[in-house]
Amino acid sequence: GQSLRVALEPGTHVSYYSVTFTEPYLNDKPTSLDVVGSSWERWRESYDEQRTKGFVGFEKRYKSRWRGSIGFRVEGVDVHNLDFDAPQEIIDVEGNNSLIGLSVGIGKDETDDKFLPSSGQTFNVNYEQVTGDEDFGILEASRTQYWTLHEDLADRKTILAIKLLGGTTFSGAPPFEKFYAGGSNKYGLRGFEFRGVSTRGLQTNVPFPERKDPVGSDWIFLANGEVAVPPVGENVSALFFVYSGTVDTGRYRASIGTGIQIQVPQFFGRVPMRFELATPFSRDGDEETQICSFSMG
């Protein structure tokens, strides 16, 4: 069935508002339509960023589990409230920036469960060409493989997941469209602070400038491995993981950690909650770490 979602999420560091309409079977065919209008504002290291976006996307699903997608976005990005020592890369994009993007993608999902897979793989590739005040392209790809290492008499499965992610920009993307690793977002790197792994810009307006604030990287690569062991019941799993990756500057980063995942039963399925502890054993310079992390959903 069709769905309409309205989100109002005010906050001190992040405020997000959106309206999303989804038609999963356009004209009674396996083609979905997504229409999104959103606005959000977030405090960054040396500036504030506000975005207002409209998006329309179509995805065609095939019996072979392949899917193809096409999307169109119009977005305004406002960079304001710059710190006095903001790097030149941020000063260059201060003010309003208009973006118009057309994206195409292909993907395949061969997992045995959409939300809690224990075997199979997912594969996605997406390219977006952007014009407007800036002209650039973004290519992203990911692959995740799942294996069941052990299944006990109570049908509880120990699962290994290996995930590879990569992305690159073309023709000089602005800082707000480049890649940042760290934290638990899309390009999460446990053990490092959110956006903590990135090329850093040189301070301005100070007598002894340092490369302090992140300004984004032109490319990124992450390789992550995780084992989930269910010691008590099917809704609780112990986690053991290694996260690693690199960007266009610095050495290869890596961290190791453990945690716990709890599947909270809801009327529409199980919602995962994750509590994790991680520590880097390879980092570049004085990158800030984040030992504890929590996520839900």
Side-chain angles (χ1 to χ4, degrees):
Q2 299 171 336
S3 66
L4 176 68
R5 180 178 185 268
V6 179
L8 306 174
E9 304 173 9
T12 55
H13 281 178
V14 183
S15 294
Y16 176 74
Y17 310 94
S18 71
V19 178
T20 304
F21 171 77
T22 299
E23 166 57 79
Y25 288 93
L26 189 63
N27 295 327
D28 295 324
K29 295 182 179 180
T31 300
S32 62
L33 164 68
D34 291 295
V35 181
V36 183
S38 66
S39 174
W40 67 262
E41 184 172 10
R42 181 158 194 153
W43 170 83
R44 299 299 192 189
E45 296 79 9
S46 59
Y47 63 99
D48 291 344
E49 179 181 341
Q50 184 174 6
R51 291 178 178 247
T52 303
K53 180 174 74 172
F55 172 82
V56 177
F58 298 88
E59 182 180 81
K60 173 70 172 180
R61 302 179 298 277
Y62 298 92
K63 293 181 180 180
S64 60
R65 294 196 175 188
W66 283 96
R67 59 181 181 271
S69 63
I70 185 170
F72 177 78
R73 68 160 164 155
V74 177
E75 188 167 17
V77 183
D78 184 17
V79 176
H80 57 282
N81 290 342
L82 273 63
D83 292 348
F84 75 95
D85 62 345
Q88 189 62 46
E89 291 88 345
I90 303 302
I91 296 175
D92 290 342
V93 295
E94 183 180 9
N96 294 311
N97 300 267
S98 298
L99 304 177
I100 301 174
L102 177 65
S103 60
V104 292
I106 59 171
K108 191 174 187 179
D109 187 341
E110 296 180 323
T111 57
D112 58 347
D113 188 286
K114 183 177 181 180
F115 300 104
L116 297 172
S118 60
S119 64
Q121 66 167 334
T122 63
F123 169 77
N124 293 283
V125 176
N126 187 80
Y127 178 78
E128 182 180 31
Q129 183 62 46
V130 182
T131 187
D133 291 336
E134 306 283 348
D135 293 293
F136 59 93
I138 303 176
L139 176 65
E140 297 178 278
S142 67
R143 184 189 175 193
T144 306
Q145 181 74 51
Y146 300 91
W147 294 273
T148 296
L149 301 181
H150 175 71
E151 185 172 355
D152 61 20
L153 297 177
D155 295 329
R156 295 176 300 191
K157 297 179 179 180
T158 297
I159 300 170
L160 168 64
I162 301 294
K163 186 173 186 178
L164 304 176
L165 301 92
T168 187
T169 63
F170 302 93
S171 303
F176 49 79
E177 291 288 301
K178 291 188 176 184
F179 299 104
Y180 302 80
S184 56
N185 62 333
K186 177 181 178 180
Y187 286 100
L189 189 57
R190 300 295 196 277
F192 293 87
E193 196 173 70
F194 175 63
R195 288 167 50 104
V197 177
S198 165
T199 300
R200 296 182 179 271
L202 192 67
Q203 290 175 294
T204 59
N205 303 316
V206 294
F208 302 102
E210 298 179 357
R211 293 197 175 276
K212 176 184 174 185
D213 295 321
V215 293
S217 301
D218 289 323
W219 58 265
I220 190 172
F221 172 77
L222 297 179
N224 307 325
E226 179 179 285
V227 175
V229 183
V232 181
E234 61 178 7
N235 292 328
V236 179
S237 297
L239 306 174
F240 305 93
F241 53 81
V242 174
Y243 280 72
S244 69
T246 186
V247 293
D248 57 18
T249 57
R251 63 189 298 181
Y252 196 84
R253 288 81 163 178
S255 65
I256 189 170
T258 186
I260 186 172
Q261 177 174 274
I262 302 173
Q263 302 288 344
V264 182
Q266 301 289 337
F267 68 92
F268 51 80
R270 291 179 291 180
V271 176
M273 298 174 59
R274 296 169 63 101
F275 304 85
E276 299 160 320
L277 300 173
T279 182
F281 60 86
S282 176
R283 56 177 173 162
D284 186 65
D286 297 325
E287 291 172 332
E288 295 186 9
T289 62
Q290 180 176 309
I291 303 301
C292 303
S293 62
F294 165 75
S295 62
M296 178 178 179

